């Protein structure tokens, strides 16, 4: 992976040359199983992350369609666009990252038809993005997917939305239970 993490980012901005330190997110849940997901991604796709506090009358889909072209150079396939909606700024960013972990399943989703509003939004963004966004390196329709997670929480005066994209290195994961 390209080394792109900076030490002392506010001042000397020196490259660590090894992408350390790592970013670790922990979620405590009930049960006796630990799931570990490793996202081998960093500064390139991280640099494209965008965040906005939307007004109640704003459309998340319109914001995404307007924002993705401003996220820099095109992506090499396969690509994933992760959208996090609602909650605090931090929550929306974490939701967007979690959405990047979703399967690349747009063709299956379209074939079985959406079962909720979030799936409808994913398909809408996928179809509109296919025509509107500049895909690089010969990317084709099947080479990208849209993941979306909604916190179910929102301030009545505004809604947070975050978009993050990734040149996917499929994420290795494993589970451990108390029986091991």
């Amino acid at each position: 992976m390209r080394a792109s993490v900076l030490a002392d980012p506010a001042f000397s901005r020196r490259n660590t040359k090894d992408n350390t330190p790592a970013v670790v997110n922990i979620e405590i849940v009930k049960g006796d199983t630990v799931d570990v997901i490793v996202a081998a991604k960093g500064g390139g796709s991280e640099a494209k992350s965008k965040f906005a506090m939307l007004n109640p009358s704003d459309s998340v889909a319109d914001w995404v369609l307007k924002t993705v072209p401003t996220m820099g150079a095109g992506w090499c396939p396969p690509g994933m666009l992760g959208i996090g909606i609602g909650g605090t700024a931090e929550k929306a960013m974490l939701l967007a990252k979690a959405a990047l972990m979703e399967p690349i399943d747009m063709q299956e989703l379209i074939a079985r038809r959406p079962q909720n509003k979030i799936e409808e939004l994913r398909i809408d963004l996928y179809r509109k993005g296919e025509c509107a966004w500049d895909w690089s390196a010969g990317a084709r329709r099947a080479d990208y997917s849209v993941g979306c997670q909604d916190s179910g929480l929102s301030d009545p005066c505004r809604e947070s939305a975050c978009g993050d994209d990734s040149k996917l290195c499929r994420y290795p994961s494993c589970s451990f239970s108390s029986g091991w």
Side-chain angles (χ1 to χ4, degrees):
M1 304 299 288
R2 175 181 34 188
S4 55
V5 174
L6 298 178
D8 192 20
F11 299 103
S12 69
R13 301 182 57 76
R14 186 180 31 74
N15 191 311
T16 65
K17 298 189 178 8
D18 61 5
N19 279 337
T20 58
V23 175
V24 178
N25 294 304
I26 298 172
E27 181 180 353
I28 305 297
V29 297
K30 289 182 181 181
D32 60 357
T33 302
V34 175
D35 290 326
V36 178
I37 301 171
V38 178
K41 63 187 286 292
S45 56
E46 290 291 312
K48 292 185 170 196
S49 298
K50 300 291 183 191
F51 172 81
M53 284 298 211
L54 303 178
N55 292 314
S57 60
D58 293 341
S59 161
V60 171
D62 288 348
W63 177 78
V64 171
L65 290 168
K66 178 182 79 177
T67 302
V68 168
T70 71
M71 294 171 88
W75 352 342
C76 298
M80 181 78 169
L81 179 65
I83 310 295
I85 305 168
T88 63
E90 178 185 29
K91 183 66 174 177
M93 295 295 254
L94 290 172
L95 288 169
K97 293 211 178 295
L100 291 175
M101 306 296 179
E102 293 177 4
I104 296 179
D105 64 351
M106 294 308 300
Q107 300 308 318
E108 293 88 353
L109 177 59
I110 290 167
R112 75 160 164 81
R113 302 190 188 253
Q115 298 175 354
N116 57 51
K117 300 289 263 176
I118 290 294
E119 289 180 351
E120 288 175 13
L121 176 63
R122 288 180 62 204
I123 291 172
D124 185 45
L125 289 171
Y126 176 79
R127 287 184 170 149
K128 289 178 178 173
E130 177 182 22
C131 299
W133 301 328
D134 179 24
W135 301 101
S136 69
R140 301 176 321 274
R141 178 180 188 175
D143 292 331
Y144 78 101
S145 190
V146 177
C148 187
Q149 293 200 6
D150 181 2
S151 71
L153 306 170
S154 183
D155 180 308
C157 298
R158 65 185 179 278
E159 175 128 34
S160 54
C162 173
D164 194 359
D165 87 318
S166 178
K167 295 171 185 79
L168 281 186
C169 296
R170 290 315 294 168
Y171 303 105
S173 63
C174 57
S175 293
F176 303 98
S177 67
S178 62
W180 64 285

